[in-house]
Amino acid sequence: MTVDLILKEAKIYIGNRVIEAGIAINEGRIFKVAKETNLPSASEKINLSGMLVLPGVIDVHVHLRDQELSYKEDFYSGTCAAANGGVTLVVDMPNNKPITMNSETLKERMEIASRKIIVNVSFYSAFPQDIGEIKQIIHTGAKAFKIFLSHKVGGLDPNDEDKVISAFKEVASANIPIAIHAEDGIFLRKKIEEIGNRDDIDAYLEVHSVEAEVRGIMRAIRLMRESGAFAHICHVSTSEGLKAILREKARGLPVSCEVTPHHLLLSKKDLKKIGNIALVNPPLRPLSDVSYLQWALGKGLIDIVASDHAPHSLKEKDSSSVWDVMAGIPGIETTLPLMLTMVNRGQISLSDLVRVLSENPSRIFGFKGRGQIAEGFYADLVVVDLKREWTIDSSEFYSKAKFSPFDGWRVKGKPVKTFVNGTLVMDEGEIAAKPGNGKIIGWVKRI
Ligand code: DOR
Ligand code: ZN
Ligand code: ZN
């Protein structure tokens, strides 16, 4: 037989080691991984000249925006940015305009996305007002739910304990995860009152304190215990918060956690130096927290690294009052390069990287046939030049958000080709596929 494509002269990360071989791809899937002499003939061959092939990154925390927030990012710009960052599947957050919070808003987002996306996309939904609608949202294709304990996004007040538990129970019965932004809203509001009219970064840090996160995580754990739901704690930034999660995990609670590259690599000091561009929720923390997160990553204690790609306009990042600055960092184009740099520095192993960027996201969120290089799996792949040294420059981002706290960083390791469902979508920084190339994962489209 003749397959669609062969990637030859590759170093392939497969089954926890790197082998020199080729990959035969047919109808969007990995047909065979073998020495070239043992591969079938192909309509097209690409010579990778000894470059390393990894499973494509699955980024479970991305704000693609679009709709009325298209000035910040849209499905096309956001998924081009993903392709440029070696990300083959993103899970889109629901705090949009309109908020993704019922079957109609989810369907509308899926329709718009289907025409624009370059990489695969899956969707979170916020909770609806009527718990009875949860099943319908799942049926429409939401991959997971998202709740902000910090403030109300969607139809469910996070402080309405009984209703939150009922909503969690409903999701638990469908066996899908609930992602939690774990900053305690009541605590945040109390602190805001205490802070009076102070509007500098120190005041912001006093409000969005370590305690706000730890209280949020403790509450998330209580909610999980009472509902039986499976929760994924987003962007853990504190050692105390992470320790609480690890304690519960050891006791058998079905909880997973995520950290971002900015919380792993930047501290409060950088926030003070860089200013509002580095303002994010939860905020950058003291070095002691950063060191603990790095240590935990190296020990395999962190399930997922996700970007929390949160694009804003430059105008929204600039104000004399910190309370008027939009929090968020666009990280989808820097996540893999920064993690490859950590591999090159010897801070983590290549298997650590693949585990937190591809394997665990696939397993935790249930993306069947993705997240690994294996025969029969989808050909979602990233080719990386592990030795290439370069400088991060946000003016070159595909994201509309052309800013980064990592601007000027020398990094080592670059995604040079990205394949999504067997199609080349990014080649040496150029977008190689048409809008609509990506698939919506989970969409039950009824004609
Ligand atoms: O910094 C953040 N930005 N944290 C969030 O939780 C939301 C996000 C956004 O949507 O901009
Ligand atoms: Zn969040
Ligand atoms: Zn987020």
Side-chain angles (χ1 to χ4, degrees):
M1 82 173 275
T2 301
V3 296
D4 296 335
L5 175 65
I6 282 180
L7 306 181
K8 57 180 221 172
E9 287 185 34
K11 289 200 175 71
I12 305 162
Y13 181 92
I14 186 163
N16 237 334
R17 56 198 190 100
V18 175
I19 60 164
E20 285 181 20
I23 306 178
I25 296 169
N26 203 41
E27 292 178 352
R29 292 186 187 248
I30 298 165
F31 179 77
K32 198 169 182 188
V33 180
K35 294 282 174 209
E36 267 135 56
T37 45
N38 295 328
L39 289 177
S41 60
S43 326
E44 193 192 347
K45 287 190 179 181
I46 300 178
N47 189 333
L48 297 181
S49 318
M51 225 88 88
L52 179 64
V53 188
L54 304 176
V57 174
I58 299 176
D59 191 340
V60 302
H61 194 146
V62 176
H63 299 265
L64 284 176
R65 318 285 197 205
D66 207 290
Q67 296 169 294
E68 289 168 51
L69 298 178
S70 291
Y71 67 94
K72 294 177 195 261
E73 193 80 289
D74 61 37
F75 285 118
Y76 181 67
S77 61
T79 56
C80 284
N84 193 33
V87 177
T88 51
L89 168 56
V90 309
V91 195
D92 172 65
M93 282 292 173
N95 57 331
N96 302 302
K97 213 171 168 185
I99 293 168
T100 318
M101 59 180 281
N102 53 36
S103 205
E104 288 66 48
T105 45
L106 178 59
K107 267 188 213 155
E108 192 189 343
R109 242 176 125 62
M110 287 173 159
E111 292 280 357
I112 301 168
S114 69
R115 296 189 295 271
K116 297 190 182 179
I117 54 180
I118 294 291
V119 307
N120 298 328
V121 176
S122 201
F123 289 88
Y124 286 98
S125 175
F127 283 93
Q129 197 166 7
D130 173 6
I131 290 172
E133 286 178 32
I134 288 176
K135 284 266 148 66
Q136 186 59 32
I137 296 173
I138 295 169
H139 195 59
T140 304
K143 198 69 190 167
F145 280 79
K146 168 73 184 278
I147 186 164
F148 292 78
L149 297 183
S150 48
H151 61 295
K152 186 178 174 198
V153 175
L156 179 63
D157 174 1
N159 296 319
D160 186 340
E161 189 81 2
D162 292 344
K163 212 172 161 196
V164 171
I165 291 169
S166 309
F168 275 31
K169 280 185 179 160
E170 188 74 4
V171 177
S173 70
N175 218 6
I176 68 172
I178 301 170
I180 303 185
H181 177 116
E183 285 185 292
D184 187 291
I186 294 171
F187 187 77
L188 289 178
R189 262 195 301 284
K190 191 176 124 234
K191 285 284 166 191
I192 286 176
E193 275 165 31
E194 279 173 27
I195 226 81
N197 53 15
R198 287 173 53 203
D199 64 358
D200 55 3
I201 283 179
D202 282 321
Y204 196 91
L205 291 173
E206 279 175 46
V207 172
H208 291 268
S209 59
V210 167
E211 193 179 348
E213 173 167 299
V214 174
R215 281 173 181 256
I217 289 174
M218 296 313 288
R219 174 145 192 258
I221 289 167
R222 281 198 306 278
L223 291 167
M224 287 180 67
R225 278 212 207 101
E226 292 196 27
S227 64
F230 169 73
H232 173 71
I233 312 292
C234 300
H235 44 51
V236 179
S237 66
T238 62
S239 57
E240 215 183 311
L242 182 56
K243 281 176 191 163
I245 294 167
L246 296 176
R247 232 174 5 246
E248 293 305 321
K249 257 187 160 181
R251 289 186 186 138
L253 197 75
V255 59
S256 60
C257 65
E258 156 200 307
V259 297
T260 67
H262 46 269
H263 291 117
L264 268 173
L265 293 164
L266 300 172
S267 75
K268 189 172 136 178
K269 261 196 187 147
D270 297 292
L271 170 61
K272 293 278 188 75
K273 203 162 66 195
I274 302 167
N276 298 337
I277 288 296
L279 193 81
V280 63
N281 289 334
L284 300 179
R285 300 299 189 188
L287 260 178
S288 53
D289 287 304
V290 175
S291 309
Y292 185 77
L293 295 184
Q294 285 191 12
W295 173 83
L297 180 67
K299 288 281 172 213
L301 299 172
I302 287 164
D303 298 298
I304 291 179
V305 169
S307 69
D308 193 4
H309 180 73
H312 294 292
S313 72
L314 269 172
K315 215 170 137 215
E316 290 169 331
K317 292 297 289 182
D318 183 29
S319 171
S320 55
S321 164
V322 78
W323 305 111
D324 294 333
V325 176
M326 295 273 183
I329 291 172
I332 204 164
E333 285 167 271
T334 50
T335 295
L336 179 57
L338 289 166
M339 297 293 287
L340 290 170
T341 305
M342 290 185 87
V343 171
N344 272 312
R345 284 186 196 154
Q347 291 172 295
I348 55 170
S349 68
L350 196 58
S351 352
D352 293 332
L353 180 147
V354 173
R355 199 180 54 247
V356 296
L357 291 181
S358 303
E359 292 169 358
N360 283 348
S362 159
R363 180 177 50 79
I364 291 167
F365 283 79
F367 292 113
K368 264 185 73 194
R370 302 186 194 272
Q372 276 179 58
I373 299 180
E375 288 173 9
F377 271 55
Y378 290 95
D380 291 348
L381 307 166
V382 56
V383 181
V384 305
D385 184 344
L386 200 51
K387 296 290 158 228
R388 196 174 313 180
E389 293 187 48
W390 57 289
T391 304
I392 292 176
D393 176 1
S394 62
S395 72
E396 290 176 357
F397 281 178
Y398 280 93
S399 171
K400 291 185 187 181
K402 304 213 188 294
F403 60 88
S404 169
F406 294 107
D407 258 336
W409 272 47
R410 282 295 284 175
V411 285
K412 189 171 179 183
K414 197 177 206 299
V416 292
K417 282 182 173 47
T418 306
F419 293 87
V420 172
N421 312 316
T423 301
L424 180 68
V425 300
M426 184 277 284
D427 193 6
E428 282 292 348
E430 298 296 321
I431 297 303
K434 295 228 154 42
N437 172 80
K439 282 206 182 77
I440 294 181
I441 313 291
W443 192 10
V444 189
K445 193 174 181 183
R446 276 166 287 273
I447 306 161

